[in-house]
Amino acid sequence: STHQAIPSTSPDITSARQLSSSSVRVQWSVLTSRQLNGILVNHTVRYRLAGSNMPFTYKSIAAGTNSLDITGLATYTKYSIWVLSSSQVGAGPYGQETIVQTGEAVPLQVTDVTVQMSATTAMVRATVSWTRQDDSRGPITEYNVSYGAGLFSSSSMLTQSVTAHASQSSTVITGLRPATNYSFAVAARNRIEQGPASAVIVSTGALLLPASSIVGVAIGATIG
């Protein structure tokens, strides 16, 4: 019989993978003529945030194409995707939900960096603190705290560094000299790369021995 009907089944999503921090690629199988119950007109892809009740976004794809690059998505976010095929009579059923996650992006600049210098008769030390970042751009793996003597002019003067675990929001640096200007910078790193740092300058010159403390001044510099 040449009688046409809507497709009896749905295409299978054969691949769904991240292309970038804001895009994914979806590929699906092509139905046979028996499954189509007629002539293939187009495919429809619908998607939304995984686990949400948000409205769907719909994309129509020409009959000769069985893949789609979805762009403009949120960073490091899971999306649910479905595909159907349509004959000249109408649309067939949507297939199984497939979940795909967009990629990570470079961490944002670390905020609220503070430095408190304290002195004893034996040494000067700095307690460097910051606000921990969330994992919205990918899980933070560590914080890099770099420092050097002098008022900040460029990142090349920050000749020493320590790393802090992703769960930390402060670290203590010891062995600093009295009556010296220091610059500190803190940056977050994830599996992609290190983000821009925030710099703070502080002078130990005002420290009174044997015991006192002084707080550094954020200079608003963005380092790299």
Side-chain angles (χ1 to χ4, degrees):
S1 170
T2 59
H3 177 70
Q4 293 195 34
I6 65 170
S8 58
T9 188
S10 58
D12 293 321
I13 294 179
T14 56
S15 172
R17 61 184 180 89
Q18 61 178 244
L19 291 178
S20 72
S21 62
S22 62
S23 61
V24 299
R25 176 170 293 167
V26 187
Q27 295 174 286
W28 55 89
S29 61
V30 177
L31 299 182
T32 65
S33 56
R34 181 182 292 273
Q35 293 170 323
L36 281 167
N37 294 319
I39 298 170
L40 176 63
V41 175
N42 59 26
H43 310 282
T44 302
V45 174
R46 72 177 185 184
Y47 62 92
R48 67 182 177 189
L49 284 173
S52 78
N53 291 316
M54 294 180 65
F56 292 106
T57 298
Y58 296 89
K59 302 287 185 182
S60 181
I61 298 92
T65 302
N66 66 322
S67 69
L68 174 67
D69 291 353
I70 303 174
T71 60
L73 304 177
T75 298
Y76 197 60
T77 301
K78 291 180 180 178
Y79 288 86
S80 296
I81 302 173
W82 296 259
V83 181
L84 65 73
S85 295
S86 297
S87 69
Q88 290 175 316
V89 175
Y94 278 106
Q96 292 279 91
E97 172 191 27
T98 295
I99 296 178
V100 62
Q101 188 170 22
T102 54
E104 300 177 38
V106 178
L108 298 175
Q109 184 172 7
V110 176
T111 59
D112 303 322
V113 176
T114 61
V115 179
Q116 180 159 334
M117 307 289 276
S118 57
T120 67
T121 52
M123 65 175 184
V124 175
R125 70 178 193 172
T127 301
V128 185
S129 305
W130 57 89
T131 297
R132 287 175 53 206
Q133 292 197 9
D134 61 28
D135 290 341
S136 62
R137 297 172 71 83
I140 300 300
T141 56
E142 65 183 22
Y143 292 93
N144 183 59
V145 181
S146 54
Y147 62 99
L151 298 178
F152 180 79
S153 56
S154 73
S155 56
S156 61
M157 64 173 290
L158 304 175
T159 56
Q160 295 175 276
S161 66
V162 297
T163 56
H165 188 268
S167 63
Q168 292 179 238
S169 58
S170 67
T171 192
V172 176
I173 296 170
T174 59
L176 303 177
R177 300 190 300 270
T180 304
N181 294 319
Y182 281 96
S183 296
F184 298 85
V186 182
R189 178 180 290 278
N190 63 12
R191 293 176 292 198
I192 298 294
E193 62 179 290
Q194 184 167 293
S198 293
V200 171
I201 58 173
V202 62
S203 172
T204 63
L207 286 171
L208 301 175
L209 297 179
S212 67
S213 66
I214 188 168
V215 176
V217 178
I219 60 172
T222 299
I223 305 167

